[in-house]
Amino acid sequence: MNEPIVQEADVQDTPQGWAQRWATELSTARETLSKWHEQGRRIVKRFRDEREADKDGDTRWNLFTSNVQTQVATLYGQVPRVSVSRRFADANDDVARVAADMLERILNSDIEKDSDTFAQALEYALLDRLLPGFGLARVRYVAEFETPPQTPPILDEATGAELAPAVQPPDRKVSECVETDYCHWQDVLWGHARVWHEVPWLAFRAEMQQRKFDARFKTADGKSLWGSMPKMGRPTDDADKKAQPGDTVEVWEIWDKETRQVHWYVEGFATVLDTKADTYGLDGFFPCPRPMLANMTTDKVVPRPDFVLAQDLYNQIDNLCTRIKLLEDAIRVAGVYDKSAGTDVGRLVNGAASNTLIPIDNWAAFAEKGGVRGVIDWLPLEQVVSAITALSGRVREAQDALYQVTGMADIMRGASDPRETAAAQGIKARFGSVRLQKLQDEVARFASEIQRLKAQLIGKLYDVQSILTQANAEHSFDAAVAPQAAQLLQERLAMYRVEVKPEAVSLTDFAALKSERMELLTGISTFLQAMGPLAQQVPGSAPFLMQMLKWSVSGLRGASGIEGVLDRAITAAEQAAKQAQGQPGKPPPPDPKLLAQQLKGQQEIQKVQAELEADLTRTQAEVQANAQKERTQAEWNTREAAGKAAIAQANRVVGRPDGGLT
């Protein structure tokens, strides 16, 4: 770990000694970060395009602004939702399960409140990460107290003497919450270190006006310190004067990890204003997560903004666009003509109306010179148009190179080639998501650590009744074990995993969400169908089968609410099994599956009988039809034979040798 600028042994443990140390530490830290601060201010100005284009004469596409806006929309597409799970998903540990569900309820209900600033702080910190390269937010515990009425003294009824003095009860806590405060990137300083976990101290700046300052800091005898404080003074710009109507004091809140103390100090004042021991007791001491740092290395904790790595390409594109604009302005109808040809020739272009014939004096001489072509020489525009075409191609090349450097793939900007197949489009989409996956994970990590800090403060500082009330535990399925679960949060908070998934911060994938839920329901339905016959065949096995179902569901994300329903189902199954054991003489209820099979068998028999009857009727009809056909054919054959015999007899009577008729 890097040593602080001022050694602990050299600091006197007095308000004056700490003031001397922090004056040196803050000055050194500000000098170390001065170059980055200057870069950040220029980048913010570039993002907002704070320039006068008419006076500067340059032209910008503002690709940097567009890229940052696209990243913000992709990385922060919805208000995040917190997921709290047990590190050991034991199915029988109902108290731990209920505690996780209560903590998740509190964290998510805080986010959904209109007064909560977590979502705004996360959005602002993400924008700071993409612009100056440093995004940070902190947590702050807030509690409101009220003073109960004083208990009157006890007096003797006869003499009126005071038997017991009046008693003032202690202040009573009315409400408590954990707020999330956004920290501007210029309002944070830290001690020299190679990586963040080695940072020895962290300071937050706050500009306080007199009313707020006097309410927080006073001398030992209650006098105001405002008159002796170095003031920041009124701003020189008229717009800033309206925004800041009075003088302010710049107060630094310094968290010293080595001594685990918090100091409040104003630069230029001889002593620290206040010093307190660590009241939060957080695992990492600092009341903030590890900030979102751009392009960090392991030699020093100084961010390097993304814009700096691609600024040459941004500037090159702007220069090319400026040149194209100047060439476009040069494209106009211009040229020179022979003055001796007369002023009428100039009227062809200079203000002449369309479809106009201009008379020319001395036409023969004008024709000898070649007419209009002979007396006018136009400004050559081919070179200008060719230059614009070449510069436009160079802009496209620089833009493609910029997308490669910044990771802004064309699919992330909505560009598409209609000739590509659906598979190619899918590959490009997956590739684009991979390029942003690391940053998505970073945003999710930052949001998760903020919620972990809030969870720690809830477990350490909240009352049991506050936890039960804010979690609405008395109306849940597990109200009976809710008090034990609240105490467990205070004692063993480390056994819970608090996280914000990347998909909970970025754009919602409703198809994936629907698929997860349908998969869960399908699994439960399949299990119930498979175990139903076994529960019917083996009386009393239903509670054990429900325990198996609960064990399988307990490992799934977001299943804590369903576990409460399963617990009630298990209890009902156990009671039913006990009642069945208490009535041994009562016949068991009929098996629904067996009844269904019997009904199905009866239906099959009826169907077969109907088919047999239909076949018999059809066979009888066919037999009758064939018999009638045979009788008809026999009669026809008989008639035909009789006819032939009559003809033969007639031939014999005539007596022709050939048997023919005369």
Side-chain angles (χ1 to χ4, degrees):
M1 179 179 296
N2 292 289
E3 296 295 333
I5 303 300
V6 180
Q7 299 295 329
E8 189 72 23
D10 300 335
V11 177
Q12 297 180 359
D13 193 8
T14 61
Q16 294 79 9
W18 286 112
Q20 181 181 1
R21 177 193 173 180
W22 296 129
T24 304
E25 294 278 9
L26 293 177
S27 177
T28 303
R30 188 179 291 107
E31 181 179 357
T32 303
L33 302 176
S34 59
K35 182 178 179 180
W36 166 61
H37 283 164
E38 180 62 27
Q39 288 178 344
R41 287 187 287 267
R42 288 192 288 105
I43 292 172
V44 173
K45 185 177 180 180
R46 175 65 178 267
F47 175 78
R48 298 170 61 178
D49 198 4
E50 294 181 355
R51 65 190 173 99
E52 296 181 4
D54 297 337
K55 294 182 179 180
D56 296 342
D58 57 347
T59 302
R60 290 181 182 175
W61 277 14
N62 287 329
L63 291 178
F64 174 62
T65 303
S66 176
N67 290 343
V68 171
Q69 291 174 345
T70 302
Q71 287 179 303
V72 171
T74 304
L75 298 172
Y76 190 73
Q78 60 178 337
V79 177
R81 183 169 182 82
V82 188
S83 173
V84 180
S85 60
R86 295 169 288 166
R87 297 188 183 276
F88 308 101
D90 298 325
N92 293 328
D93 195 355
D94 290 333
V95 176
R97 174 185 58 79
V98 175
D101 184 52
M102 292 171 56
L103 182 58
E104 182 175 315
R105 285 188 176 192
I106 295 175
L107 295 177
N108 287 313
S109 61
D110 285 347
I111 295 176
E112 295 172 358
K113 291 190 305 184
D114 295 337
S115 59
D116 188 72
T117 57
F118 169 72
Q120 295 180 355
L122 184 59
E123 182 178 3
Y124 298 154
L126 174 59
L127 187 61
D128 285 349
R129 161 61 183 83
L130 298 176
L131 292 179
F134 180 89
L136 186 63
R138 58 170 296 183
V139 295
R140 178 171 49 89
Y141 173 75
V142 179
E144 295 183 1
F145 295 86
E146 66 176 3
T147 301
Q150 187 181 43
T151 303
I154 300 176
L155 303 178
D156 186 273
E157 296 180 356
T159 62
E162 184 179 18
L163 300 178
V167 178
Q168 178 62 51
D171 292 345
R172 181 171 58 245
K173 186 186 298 184
V174 178
S175 63
E176 53 187 344
C177 64
V178 180
E179 300 289 348
T180 304
D181 296 334
Y182 158 72
C183 302
H184 193 270
W185 57 278
Q186 295 186 95
D187 292 342
V188 183
L189 295 176
W190 56 88
H192 175 72
R194 295 170 300 179
V195 291
W196 182 256
H197 75 273
E198 295 180 354
V199 171
W201 58 267
L202 185 62
F204 305 94
R205 179 175 62 181
E207 297 180 4
M208 305 177 66
Q209 295 183 354
Q210 182 174 2
R211 181 181 59 83
K212 187 176 181 181
F213 181 87
D214 289 339
R216 174 63 180 83
F217 304 106
K218 292 183 181 297
T219 60
D221 53 1
K223 295 182 179 180
S224 174
L225 292 170
W226 180 261
S228 58
M229 288 293 107
K231 308 297 189 303
M232 294 182 62
R234 296 289 300 276
T236 57
D237 187 71
D238 293 338
D240 292 338
K241 287 181 180 179
K242 296 179 181 180
Q244 300 179 7
D247 295 336
T248 57
V249 173
E250 187 180 85
V251 181
W252 287 95
E253 180 182 342
I254 308 171
W255 290 67
D256 187 9
K257 184 188 292 186
E258 297 181 353
T259 61
R260 300 190 74 86
Q261 291 180 337
V262 185
H263 304 270
W264 285 264
Y265 171 66
V266 175
E267 290 184 282
F269 195 59
T271 64
V272 294
L273 301 179
D274 192 11
T275 299
K276 290 186 177 181
D278 179 22
T279 57
Y280 287 174
L282 300 174
D283 295 340
F285 177 70
F286 292 143
C288 63
R290 176 167 57 88
M292 292 186 287
L293 299 169
N295 304 305
M296 280 300 302
T297 58
T298 57
D299 57 344
K300 56 182 177 181
V301 183
V302 178
R304 189 69 170 170
D306 295 334
F307 175 81
V308 176
L309 303 181
Q311 60 182 346
D312 293 339
L313 290 171
Y314 283 116
N315 295 333
Q316 182 182 4
I317 293 175
D318 290 342
N319 292 334
L320 292 173
C321 293
T322 301
R323 294 184 181 184
I324 292 176
K325 180 63 169 56
L326 295 175
L327 291 175
E328 290 176 347
D329 294 339
I331 298 178
R332 63 185 184 275
V333 178
V336 296
Y337 69 95
D338 187 1
K339 186 177 182 180
S340 62
T343 59
D344 292 335
V345 177
R347 291 168 56 194
L348 287 172
V349 178
N350 298 329
S354 60
N355 301 328
T356 301
L357 293 176
I358 300 175
I360 301 295
D361 296 333
N362 196 3
W363 173 260
F366 182 75
E368 290 179 359
K369 293 182 179 180
V372 176
R373 294 183 179 179
V375 297
I376 296 178
D377 190 8
W378 299 102
L379 177 67
L381 299 179
E382 294 80 2
Q383 294 83 349
V384 178
V385 175
S386 299
I388 292 177
T389 304
L391 290 176
S392 299
R394 187 69 188 93
V395 168
R396 287 191 294 270
E397 294 177 0
Q399 187 178 5
D400 293 339
L402 178 64
Y403 290 164
Q404 294 296 329
V405 172
T406 59
M408 294 298 300
D410 55 349
I411 191 66
M412 305 306 295
R413 299 181 63 86
S416 177
D417 187 352
R419 296 170 297 180
E420 291 182 342
T421 63
Q425 296 284 357
I427 293 173
K428 290 174 65 178
R430 289 192 297 271
F431 178 75
S433 63
V434 168
R435 299 293 294 270
L436 288 176
Q437 186 62 48
K438 182 177 181 181
L439 195 52
Q440 289 177 349
D441 295 341
E442 178 69 5
V443 175
R445 188 273 310 167
F446 181 77
S448 299
E449 291 187 6
I450 292 178
Q451 294 300 322
R452 292 190 192 112
L453 293 175
K454 292 184 64 174
Q456 290 186 41
L457 293 181
I458 290 173
K460 293 179 179 295
L461 303 179
Y462 272 33
D463 296 334
V464 172
Q465 186 58 40
S466 296
I467 296 176
L468 297 176
T469 302
Q470 296 189 26
N472 198 28
E474 62 271 15
H475 300 291
S476 64
F477 287 105
D478 307 289
V481 297
Q484 300 178 8
Q487 295 178 358
L488 185 63
L489 287 177
Q490 295 179 334
E491 299 171 358
R492 300 174 58 188
L493 185 64
M495 65 182 297
Y496 297 98
R497 184 183 296 108
V498 181
E499 58 184 343
V500 176
K501 299 292 185 180
E503 59 269 18
V505 182
S506 58
L507 293 175
T508 306
D509 189 353
F510 292 100
L513 182 62
K514 179 180 178 181
S515 177
E516 291 177 358
R517 294 186 177 182
M518 292 303 298
E519 184 179 357
L520 175 61
L521 293 177
T522 302
I524 294 177
S525 301
T526 304
F527 179 85
L528 293 177
Q529 292 178 0
M531 295 295 104
L534 179 60
Q536 295 294 334
Q537 296 176 5
V538 183
S541 62
F544 302 99
L545 297 176
M546 296 297 295
Q547 289 284 357
M548 293 176 59
L549 178 60
K550 179 183 176 182
W551 171 80
S552 61
V553 171
S554 62
L556 301 178
R557 184 179 59 190
S560 57
I562 300 178
E563 290 185 67
V565 179
L566 293 177
D567 286 338
R568 290 200 169 189
I570 293 172
T571 302
E574 292 176 349
Q575 293 177 356
K578 291 180 180 179
Q579 292 178 358
Q581 293 177 359
Q583 300 176 357
K586 184 178 180 180
D591 188 355
K593 185 175 181 181
L594 181 59
L595 294 177
Q597 291 178 352
Q598 292 176 354
L599 179 60
K600 184 177 180 181
Q602 294 176 0
Q603 293 176 352
E604 292 292 338
I605 293 174
Q606 294 176 358
K607 181 178 179 181
V608 171
Q609 291 177 351
E611 291 178 353
L612 292 175
E613 292 177 357
D615 292 340
L616 180 60
T617 302
R618 185 170 56 255
T619 302
Q620 291 176 353
E622 291 177 355
V623 170
Q624 293 176 0
N626 292 333
Q628 181 65 28
K629 183 177 180 181
E630 290 177 356
R631 286 194 299 270
T632 303
Q633 185 67 33
E635 292 177 359
W636 174 257
N637 293 337
T638 302
R639 291 177 182 178
E640 184 179 11
K644 290 180 179 180
I647 292 172
Q649 183 65 30
N651 289 335
R652 286 194 298 270
V653 172
V654 176
R656 288 188 58 178
D658 56 357
L661 296 178
T662 58

